[in-house]
Amino acid sequence: MKPKDLTSKIFIDGGDPEETREIMGLLGFLDGQTTNPTLISKNPEARKRLDRGEKFSEREIIDFYHSVVKEISGMLPAGSVSVEVYADPETKAEQMLSQGKMMFGWIPNAHIKFPSAPEGLKAAEQAVKDGLRVNMTLCFSQEQAAAVYAATRGALKGNVFVSPFVGRLDDRRENGMDVIANIIRMYRKSDGHVEVLTASVRSLDHLLYAIKLGSDIITVPGKILREWAGKGLPMPGSDYNYPAAGLKAIPYKELDLGRDWRDFDISHDLTVKGMKNFSEDWESLIRHTKH
Ligand code: G3P
């Protein structure tokens, strides 16, 4: 059962419907799911196929992703399921948008993931005008979250998520949870149309601190959800302190959310690296036919 004082929505970060089923049973609730190309490349059915030496054709991998999110969506009819477009650092906004429109039609509860990079922001700006729900992924800075807010102005609350990645900042000894705290603080002075989705969660402490900060949504790998369930779904008390020792603090910045999104410096090397990694993991599934 969901702890009664838990206001954050809890999503699973995964690409395997069996795991989603297992975690729903363990927690007794689940509010949604996020997927991405890397997680789909780890799906057990996909792995079995690759182990047999059978890669997917371009059509087959799209159909496979479709079937996975359809099964998950059926388990979470009242929740949200994030589906990510293919986006390498050269992919144009128009290509992202057309994929996003196709994926949005797959299930009734999709949020389409676009990268928090210039072409992704352009795609999202148009997508929300066209009535799509979006989840802006690979966000690593307060500036990127400010740009997401500005690019999606006018969208209904619930239609836009921004996903700051905590663990990948921690990996280079920057305090990823500071970015969550800073974005939540910045959005307090906003119309609230963008929801903060804490992503790249690697530990129970990431989950507990995100709950304490009041992150709207937290997407958590099955492994951490099993650990949380095994301990009886503990909540952070008023005396909870996040162990940030050894991590460099990321200071809060005063940013004007009334500006055009193009005014913010949204460049981030981890966004570019993340796009490269996601697209490589996707490509690793595909058998390209030579012409
Ligand atoms: O939700 C995004 C997440 O899957 C990324 O996590 O552990 O690859 O940084 P990670």
Side-chain angles (χ1 to χ4, degrees):
M1 280 290 282
K2 189 162 183 166
K4 66 176 179 347
D5 41 354
L6 172 57
T7 53
S8 302
K9 288 181 180 157
I10 304 297
F11 288 10
I12 182 170
D13 196 24
D16 174 14
E18 277 313 313
E19 184 185 49
T20 306
R21 205 167 280 121
E22 175 216 333
I23 295 295
M24 284 177 82
L26 277 180
L27 300 184
F29 77 98
L30 192 62
D31 300 308
Q33 173 141 6
T34 50
T35 68
N36 67 40
T38 302
L39 294 168
I40 294 298
S41 76
K42 292 183 180 158
N43 170 288
E45 290 305 313
R47 292 313 328 161
K48 264 191 231 158
R49 195 178 157 138
L50 263 64
D51 289 347
R52 292 197 301 267
E54 294 169 31
K55 289 196 173 189
F56 295 81
S57 69
E58 298 204 17
R59 184 68 254 164
E60 285 168 344
I61 192 61
I62 297 286
D63 290 345
F64 179 72
Y65 196 5
H66 183 177
S67 69
V68 168
V69 295
K70 210 170 151 195
E71 189 175 350
I72 292 167
S73 168
M75 285 185 245
L76 298 164
S80 152
V81 181
S82 286
V83 190
E84 184 155 345
V85 301
Y86 172 92
D88 63 41
E90 268 73 54
T91 308
K92 294 290 173 206
E94 297 70 32
Q95 297 167 291
M96 294 186 202
L97 187 59
S98 89
Q99 292 179 68
K101 285 184 177 172
M102 172 190 67
M103 291 165 160
F104 194 70
W106 284 353
I107 50 172
N109 51 350
H111 276 76
I112 300 301
K113 288 173 92 174
F114 295 114
S116 301
E119 294 299 311
L121 266 289
K122 251 191 251 172
E125 186 176 34
Q126 188 56 45
V128 294
K129 285 187 187 134
D130 294 343
L132 270 63
R133 291 177 293 272
V134 301
N135 174 357
M136 301 308 292
T137 190
L138 290 167
C139 170
F140 294 94
S141 73
Q142 204 190 318
E143 285 88 342
Q144 286 173 308
V148 166
Y149 179 89
T152 59
R153 216 186 305 279
L156 292 176
K157 184 172 165 63
N159 284 6
V160 184
F161 303 155
V162 65
S163 293
F165 276 31
V166 173
R168 295 189 193 186
L169 285 163
D170 285 10
D171 285 344
R172 55 183 210 184
R173 312 315 296 158
E174 294 177 51
N175 187 354
M177 287 307 297
D178 276 349
V179 176
I180 303 295
N182 294 343
I183 296 171
I184 290 173
R185 178 174 163 194
M186 173 173 73
Y187 282 175
R188 260 188 219 121
K189 286 177 263 170
S190 79
D191 66 14
H193 80 268
V194 184
E195 294 185 290
V196 178
L197 189 159
T198 299
S200 185
V201 164
R202 306 272 183 75
S203 67
L204 196 53
D205 277 307
H206 283 156
L207 169 60
L208 294 179
Y209 192 35
I211 292 173
K212 181 156 179 169
L213 287 170
S215 182
D216 300 288
I217 305 160
I218 308 162
T219 193
V220 188
K223 181 172 169 255
I224 309 295
L225 290 174
R226 278 183 209 106
E227 186 185 345
W228 190 42
K231 292 186 169 155
L233 309 184
M235 291 285 288
S238 52
D239 56 345
Y240 175 79
N241 280 311
Y242 176 66
L247 298 174
K248 186 165 164 272
I250 300 178
Y252 181 76
K253 292 181 188 150
E254 284 300 338
L255 300 175
D256 178 3
L257 291 175
R259 302 182 74 156
D260 187 275
W261 70 263
R262 290 169 186 81
D263 292 344
F264 296 104
D265 177 8
I266 62 165
S267 57
H268 203 290
D269 58 328
L270 287 180
T271 304
V272 178
K273 190 174 171 204
M275 290 168 78
K276 279 191 189 140
N277 290 344
F278 279 154
S279 51
E280 282 167 16
D281 284 343
W282 188 250
E283 291 290 346
S284 73
L285 296 167
I286 301 172
R287 151 186 98 242
H288 289 284
T289 44
K290 292 196 183 77
H291 295 287

